[in-house]
Amino acid sequence: MSSSETTTAETDTTASSETTDAATTAETIASTTSAADAFIATLTVEQHETLLYAYDDDTKTTSWSNFPVTFVERAGLNLADLTEEQRQAALTVLESLLSDEAYATVVGIMGGDQYLLENSSSTESSLGQYYIAFFGDPSDTSAWEVQFGGHHLGINATLDGSTDEVTFAPTHLGVQPAVYTDADGNTVQPFDGIYTDAFAFFDSLTAEQQATLTSGDVSMCAPGDTCDFSTGSGLTGADLTDEQKQLLLALISNWAGMADEQSTATALTEIEATLDDTVIAWSGETSYDMTTGDGISFSISGPNVYIALQAQQGSAGADVDGVSTSGWGHVHTIYRDPTNDYAGSVTQQAGSGMGGGPGGAPGE
């Protein structure tokens, strides 16, 4: 399946239905399955065949990335090739899957790519192109996955009605630029919530704790890398007060808790159980002020969670006069679960190289 050769038209990222946050995992699975079936109903037979893969298809591990679409071929359907009705139906799948806050973050990320396409000096023709694929038939009684992404986004959400679980590991969230003005004149800042939570945690630490945190080694286990999820050095969960642990869990929830309240609580309970053995490292700025410095990088590595956020020290050619598209303004993140990537699929974990050598650089 080849990537579209043409640049996408501007994507309307407002889904057609008015959904609200689901409260339970079962509600998320049911509503997302229903939305997926509705999306499939808009497709031709050929489009349906392009959208759907077997649940354990090897493509699942090779078709998401933090590199541009022209570098790593994505699975499924390009939103740019869909009709308006089909595109809105695809976005409704995401809206049904995600909490309101997570959906707004995703829409902001996509809008940033579109902003770069229209305003930057980048020659990357795939900016703003996003793909959707299903692995396994949509179901509220068995496991299937929604994969959605482009350059600065790679969601792998597994929904399993048989075990009442939703997991987002592995997932890539990125942003470039950090702040932009959309077509309606609104200021959009997709990672403001992540930055706010990160600095709430950082500011809660004592000077001694901050010194330990910033003396550690920030790691990155990027898509396609073999990874041993080594914790390295830094501040451990055992060094934190109960209040500081809750602030760290709030930060983690930006990745682990992208769906409903119950799914978030389940994921955070598992992570909290081994938080004392989790290591946090930080480099870069020590205050949330995007007018100074080159941004921040941090990693959170433990038995049940791996998150890395890295500021990219370069614009990758996507320069806009007066807009930061490097450092604070160009960030890649990865969320993985060392015990449950791809919902624990041994096939997919082996395909992604889990258990191999150290992770590499985050890419462009």
Side-chain angles (χ1 to χ4, degrees), residues 60-136:
K60 186 188 293 186
T61 59
T62 61
S63 58
W64 69 282
S65 180
N66 56 342
F67 281 97
V69 171
T70 47
F71 287 28
V72 177
E73 185 178 8
R74 303 312 198 262
L77 294 169
N78 187 343
L79 264 62
D81 296 332
L82 303 181
T83 67
E84 181 62 20
E85 177 192 9
Q86 292 170 335
R87 188 159 47 245
Q88 294 303 324
L91 291 171
T92 299
V93 175
L94 281 186
E95 192 177 28
S96 300
L97 168 67
L98 302 174
S99 67
D100 290 345
E101 182 178 357
Y103 184 70
T105 298
V106 165
V107 168
I109 290 169
M110 295 172 67
D113 272 3
Q114 187 68 35
Y115 176 87
L116 292 178
L117 175 67
E118 297 173 353
N119 297 282
S120 77
S121 57
S122 175
T123 58
E124 175 52 55
S125 61
S126 68
L127 270 172
Q129 291 188 10
Y130 283 86
Y131 287 72
I132 186 169
F134 296 160
F135 289 84

Side-chain angles (χ1 to χ4, degrees), residues 13 21 91 94-95 98-114 130 148-149 152-155 168 171-180 187-197 250-251 253-259 309 331-333:
T13 50
D21 279 4
L91 291 171
L94 281 186
E95 192 177 28
L98 302 174
S99 67
D100 290 345
E101 182 178 357
Y103 184 70
T105 298
V106 165
V107 168
I109 290 169
M110 295 172 67
D113 272 3
Q114 187 68 35
Y130 283 86
F148 184 87
H152 289 109
L153 182 67
I155 292 175
F168 289 91
T171 278
H172 158 56
L173 303 179
V175 66
Q176 187 185 23
V179 185
Y180 63 92
T187 299
V188 183
Q189 193 170 343
F191 270 26
D192 180 55
I194 290 175
Y195 279 142
T196 297
D197 288 342
L251 174 58
S253 71
N254 285 282
W255 293 269
M258 294 175 65
L309 179 150
V331 177
H332 286 194
T333 79

Side-chain angles (χ1 to χ4, degrees), residues 1-58:
M1 302 176 190
S2 62
S3 301
S4 174
E5 296 297 327
T6 59
T7 301
T8 180
E10 183 173 356
T11 300
D12 180 356
T13 50
T14 303
S16 56
S17 65
E18 293 184 2
T19 61
T20 58
D21 279 4
T24 69
T25 305
E27 288 174 357
T28 295
I29 294 173
S31 63
T32 307
T33 300
S34 177
D37 287 337
F39 172 48
I40 289 171
T42 70
L43 303 177
T44 66
V45 172
E46 182 180 5
Q47 286 175 319
H48 187 197
E49 291 176 349
T50 302
L51 171 77
L52 189 63
Y53 295 76
Y55 180 69
D56 280 334
D57 193 297
D58 289 344

Side-chain angles (χ1 to χ4, degrees), residues 144-354:
W144 65 290
E145 179 178 302
V146 177
Q147 187 176 86
F148 184 87
H151 183 179
H152 289 109
L153 182 67
I155 292 175
N156 293 292
T158 302
L159 303 89
D160 191 345
S162 67
T163 58
D164 200 28
E165 291 179 301
V166 175
T167 176
F168 289 91
T171 278
H172 158 56
L173 303 179
V175 66
Q176 187 185 23
V179 185
Y180 63 92
T181 302
D182 67 15
D184 296 323
N186 300 311
T187 299
V188 183
Q189 193 170 343
F191 270 26
D192 180 55
I194 290 175
Y195 279 142
T196 297
D197 288 342
F199 280 98
F201 169 69
F202 186 91
D203 292 342
S204 76
L205 303 177
T206 66
E208 182 179 0
Q209 287 174 315
Q210 290 178 354
T212 303
L213 178 75
T214 57
S215 68
D217 299 318
V218 176
S219 62
M220 170 58 78
C221 182
D225 285 336
T226 54
C227 189
D228 61 5
F229 297 103
S230 58
T231 54
S233 60
L235 190 68
T236 68
D239 300 325
L240 304 177
T241 66
D242 289 344
E243 180 182 359
Q244 290 167 340
K245 288 180 179 180
Q246 292 306 308
L247 290 170
L248 178 60
L249 289 170
L251 174 58
I252 291 170
S253 71
N254 285 282
W255 293 269
M258 294 175 65
D260 55 87
E261 294 177 4
Q262 182 184 2
S263 297
T264 299
T266 299
L268 294 184
T269 296
E270 293 175 356
I271 293 168
E272 187 175 16
T274 57
L275 203 61
D276 283 356
D277 299 318
T278 299
V279 178
I280 315 100
W282 180 294
S283 66
E285 308 309 316
T286 58
S287 62
Y288 186 10
D289 181 358
M290 291 194 295
T291 65
T292 63
D294 293 323
I296 62 170
S297 296
F298 63 77
S299 55
I300 303 168
S301 185
N304 290 299
V305 63
Y306 179 87
I307 292 171
L309 179 150
Q310 285 198 359
Q312 307 294 293
Q313 301 312 317
S315 66
D319 298 300
V320 183
D321 287 343
V323 177
S324 174
T325 56
S326 176
W328 287 104
H330 188 189
V331 177
H332 286 194
T333 79
I334 296 293
Y335 166 58
R336 303 183 73 164
D337 184 341
T339 66
N340 201 35
D341 255 13
Y342 300 103
S345 167
V346 174
T347 300
Q348 302 305 334
Q349 289 175 356
S352 67
M354 290 181 65

